[in-house]
Amino acid sequence: MLVLFETAAGYAIFKVLDESKLQQVDNLYKEFETPEKANKVVKLKHFEKFTDTTEALAAATALVEGKIGKSLKKVLKKVVAKEAHEQLAISDVKLGGVIKEKLDLSCVHSPAVAELMRCIRSQMESLITGLPPKEISAMSLGLAHSLSRYKLKFSPDKVDTMIVQAISLLDDLDKELNNYIMRCREWYGWHFPELGKVITDNLAYCKAVRKIGDRTNVATTDLSDILPEEIEAEVKLAAEISMGTEVSEQDIGNISHLCDQVIEISEYRTQLYDYLKNRMMAIAPNLTVMVGELVGARLISHAGSLLNLAKHPASTVQILGAEKALFRALKTRKDTPKYGLIYHASLVGQTAAKNKGKISRMLAAKSALAIRYDALGEDTNAEMGVENRAKLEARLRQLEEKGIRRISGAGKAMARADKYQHKSEVRMYDPSGDSTIPSTSKKRKFEEMAEQEEAAEEPVTPVAKSKKPKKEAVKEEVEEEAATEEPPKKKKKKKKDKAEEAEVEEPKEEEEEVAVSESTEKKKKKKKKKIKEEEAGDE
């Protein structure tokens, strides 16, 4: 078996003298404890030295990328091809596949080979003759520096560090502009307070202040290049009746200088925003299409780089920037936040409040795909971002319209969908309809309740129970007939005092009941006697 060993000084080909020792992987290091033992296991067959650091860097770069360099190809054809029956032990699987494909050599990679490489490296100075230790260390250091510089080289189109700095500076400029404008309005407001109410735009306010100076100059100053005609007329009218205090020329000079600073910073901010927009379209075009330049740049800045952002899952992208609220919610066991920096994206902003959570989740999922495509893909077009944004907008329309459309008729018309309401009512059973007994006076009802209580106390035979309701019904019918005959009799009688009527009313009712009962007794004598006996017993 042959072993391909790469060093900073060149390529070395070793021949394994005793392959049986490779089977004992755990004890292989004992065979390389001394140079004498190491020479009994492997023997140097060929060593190809690099001429300079440039050649060493080219060879190392080819190995990193899994390719065969010119010097390695030369060595393999010169040494290994002669012994084609031998297997070639290598340290990189990708390199072995390329060698087998181009040179048709059988390559081996296993844990035993990796342990053998480590052991050879420990005794490299004694196994490779003709290389002093100082020269090997110098070449290793030079190759390490060159290889590090090569790895740090990147395309200028993929500079995400510039985006991080640009968005940070843009946020700082916004804060400073707000402070400067607030100070300018407050300062000049002592002299001309009405101007701040008339001109709401900050940049136009500063330009107007710089051009006006003292408010007495408003009448002779032309503000048509800064303000519309209506607002200019309002400013001139307000200057005539202004309630501001008088200030010196030195104060006006300082205020004008502050206005110059605000105008310059605003212009620089516009230039910086254009630069940031161009860089975002060059580095992350798909992410820019999905969430916009500012939100995309803030996401990259928060993650540190575009590659770090690509490693985050969609759930992390969704709440990136809301870490404080997230940990507070986890600590207090409350609802976690639905969005972080992604809340400022245009798709989330134009959504109704009830759908913001759904759209932010879908937007984060599509944005995560766009970020990975931008960071790891080779294409620089924004086709995937445009396609995914169109899907999200269609989904947003479906959520807003509730997805209900009429099948027939006009396709654009919405079908009316009334809210479902459970209309069944629970009705209680009314036992009043079961009774066939007509309604009686309160006095009679009280007597019936008393009779029922006495009946409950004294046991009654079943025959009496069955007959009693019928008798009572007959008696009550008779009472109703008597009540209907009562009014005509009262009309014939003379009028008496109210006190006498109250006393005589009850005995009269009893006499009438007796008179009516006598007429019924002739027909049913047996029933009448029993009814009287029961009434006497009840009394």
Side-chain angles (χ1 to χ4, degrees), residues 498-511:
K498 292 181 180 179
E500 293 177 358
E501 286 178 1
E503 292 176 357
V504 179
E505 189 175 356
E506 292 181 0
K508 277 185 178 180
E509 289 178 357
E510 292 177 359
E511 290 174 1

Side-chain angles (χ1 to χ4, degrees), residues 205 235 323 387 534:
Y205 180 86
V235 170
E323 290 85 1
E387 182 180 354
E534 289 176 0

Side-chain angles (χ1 to χ4, degrees), residues 251-321:
D251 297 330
I252 295 295
N254 286 322
I255 295 172
S256 299
H257 183 65
L258 179 59
C259 293
D260 293 337
Q261 296 292 323
V262 171
I263 294 168
E264 290 177 4
I265 293 174
S266 299
E267 292 175 354
Y268 175 61
R269 187 198 177 283
T270 305
Q271 296 176 1
L272 185 64
Y273 178 71
D274 293 337
Y275 165 77
L276 180 64
K277 188 189 298 184
N278 295 332
R279 301 306 294 168
M280 281 297 295
M281 286 303 297
I283 294 174
N286 294 285
L287 177 62
T288 304
V289 170
M290 293 297 297
V291 297
E293 299 87 7
L294 294 177
V295 178
R298 287 193 176 95
L299 288 173
I300 293 173
S301 175
H302 200 81
S305 66
L306 184 62
L307 191 60
N308 290 342
L309 184 62
K311 296 175 183 178
H312 290 319
S315 57
T316 306
V317 174
Q318 181 181 351
I319 60 170
L320 206 63

Side-chain angles (χ1 to χ4, degrees), residues 20-140:
S20 62
K21 293 183 179 180
L22 295 178
Q23 298 177 358
Q24 302 175 357
V25 181
D26 297 336
N27 298 325
L28 188 60
Y29 70 95
K30 295 180 180 179
E31 303 295 332
F32 287 84
E33 290 178 349
T34 59
E36 291 78 11
K37 289 183 177 181
N39 286 321
K40 292 179 181 179
V41 180
V42 293
K43 182 181 179 181
L44 181 65
K45 189 169 186 180
H46 182 77
F47 180 71
E48 187 73 20
K49 187 178 179 181
F50 297 135
T51 56
D52 53 5
T53 308
T54 306
E55 186 180 353
L57 177 62
T61 304
L63 287 174
V64 169
E65 296 175 354
K67 299 178 181 179
I68 303 177
K70 291 182 179 180
S71 56
L72 178 59
K73 196 172 184 179
K74 181 180 177 182
V75 171
L76 292 176
K77 285 183 177 180
K78 183 178 180 181
V79 179
V80 183
K82 293 180 181 179
E83 300 179 7
H85 61 281
E86 294 281 354
Q87 288 184 336
L88 181 64
I90 56 170
S91 58
D92 190 6
V93 181
K94 292 182 180 180
L95 182 62
V98 176
I99 292 173
K100 187 174 182 180
E101 182 182 352
K102 292 188 176 182
L103 301 177
D104 197 17
L105 296 174
S106 60
C107 301
V108 180
H109 178 75
S110 63
V113 172
E115 183 66 17
L116 179 62
M117 294 285 185
R118 191 183 70 81
C119 294
I120 292 173
R121 191 172 290 107
S122 64
Q123 296 292 339
M124 184 176 60
E125 295 178 1
S126 60
L127 292 174
I128 300 175
T129 58
L131 281 176
K134 292 184 179 180
E135 188 175 348
I136 291 178
S137 61
M139 295 183 74
S140 300

Side-chain angles (χ1 to χ4, degrees), residues 174-189:
D174 287 336
K175 291 178 182 177
E176 293 300 323
L177 271 174
N178 288 334
N179 290 332
Y180 280 21
I181 291 167
M182 180 183 68
R183 186 65 55 201
C184 181
R185 282 179 174 273
E186 188 175 350
W187 198 351
Y188 194 71

